[in-house]
């Protein structure tokens, strides 16, 4: 067991070297966590020495969620979402420090070998984008019922389309894989680069 106490934990992500994990934590208010601002924490691989990386905020800044490590493990991409502001993408040094806005609206952020990907719910229909994490130029990947972008180490991007279809893109025609489940909520890649739900 890596976490405990009367708190809510979700979205664990391993650092590229496997020595740390980043996760989202929401502290209960009263008997539940409905409306609790969540924060991002980093801990050792065994759950030890947890430290607050990005605090949640009761005000307009709201929650910090959807953490994803840079390939070199020095930065973490995350989403700041609040009750009165649209979700926006930020990066923060993995050792701590001030977050940097990427000036991009979106959620479900994922950092790949050379680019980032995210879903933008402010567009109609919802759209999936990718960009250089240090540059303002972005590229639309898909639109519609898209969710859960996830990068393979070789640069392929997978995402969900609808409730149970994985789409894999790599510069050529997209490959669609019907998953043997009624509903899938997220995708990830295994170390040998085979997509797993």
């Amino acid at each position: 067991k890596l976490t405990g106490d009367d708190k809510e934990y979700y979205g664990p992500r391993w650092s590229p070297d496997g020595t740390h994990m980043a996760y989202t934590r929401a502290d209960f208010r009263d008997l539940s966590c409905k409306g609790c601002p969540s924060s991002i924490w980093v801990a050792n691989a065994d759950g030890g020495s947890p430290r607050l990386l990005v605090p949640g905020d009761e005000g307009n800044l709201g929650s910090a969620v959807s953490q994803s490590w840079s390939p070199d493990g020095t930065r973490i991409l995350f989403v700041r979402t609040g009750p009165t502001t649209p979700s926006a993408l930020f990066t923060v040094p993995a050792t701590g420090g001030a977050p940097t806005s990427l000036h991009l609206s979106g959620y479900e952020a994922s950092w790949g070998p050379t680019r980032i990907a995210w879903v933008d719910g402010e567009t109609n229909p919802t759209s999936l984008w990718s960009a250089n994490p240090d540059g303002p130029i972005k590229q639309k990947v898909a639109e519609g019922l898209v969710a859960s972008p996830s990068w393979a180490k070789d640069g392929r991007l997978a995402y969900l389309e609808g409730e149970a279809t994985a789409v894999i893109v790599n510069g050529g025609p997209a490959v669609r894989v019907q998953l043997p489940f009624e509903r899938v909520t997220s995708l990830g890649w295994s170390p040998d680069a085979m997509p797993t739900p």
Side-chain angles (χ1 to χ4, degrees):
K1 186 175 180 181
L2 302 179
T3 58
D5 307 321
D6 291 331
K7 300 172 179 23
E8 188 175 275
Y9 300 88
Y10 52 96
R13 298 291 182 267
W14 290 110
S15 62
D17 64 4
T19 62
H20 292 83
M21 64 175 173
Y23 55 88
T24 299
R25 186 181 102 177
D27 298 349
F28 286 173
R29 290 190 305 202
D30 300 322
L31 298 177
S32 73
C33 202
K34 293 179 179 176
C36 301
S38 56
S39 52
I40 294 176
W41 292 69
V42 173
N44 295 340
D46 63 359
S49 302
R51 60 184 170 81
L52 177 64
L53 185 67
V54 182
D57 180 56
E58 295 283 354
N60 289 337
L61 289 179
S63 293
V65 296
S66 191
Q67 57 280 350
S68 181
W69 294 81
S70 64
D72 62 5
T74 62
R75 291 186 289 168
I76 293 177
L77 172 69
F78 71 96
V79 173
R80 175 71 79 182
T81 181
T84 60
T85 56
S87 298
L89 276 60
F90 290 79
T91 62
V92 64
T95 55
T100 300
S101 175
L102 298 185
H103 305 288
L104 297 168
S105 66
Y107 58 96
E108 293 189 345
S110 178
W111 203 325
T114 60
R115 298 177 68 79
I116 61 172
W118 70 95
V119 175
D120 189 347
E122 296 293 308
T123 61
N124 187 14
T126 299
S127 53
L128 174 67
W129 297 81
S130 74
N132 183 315
D134 297 312
I137 299 174
K138 61 182 186 175
Q139 177 183 3
K140 185 186 285 186
V141 177
E143 62 183 22
L145 296 176
V146 294
S148 188
S150 179
W151 293 95
K153 290 181 181 179
D154 63 7
R156 287 179 291 167
L157 176 63
Y159 63 91
L160 283 173
E161 181 180 75
E163 294 193 341
T165 301
V167 181
I168 303 168
V169 293
N170 191 26
V175 176
R176 284 173 168 74
V177 179
Q178 187 63 40
L179 302 173
F181 304 100
E182 183 176 326
R183 185 168 184 262
V184 177
T185 58
S186 65
L187 290 176
W189 291 85
S190 63
D192 61 359
M194 297 299 293
T196 58

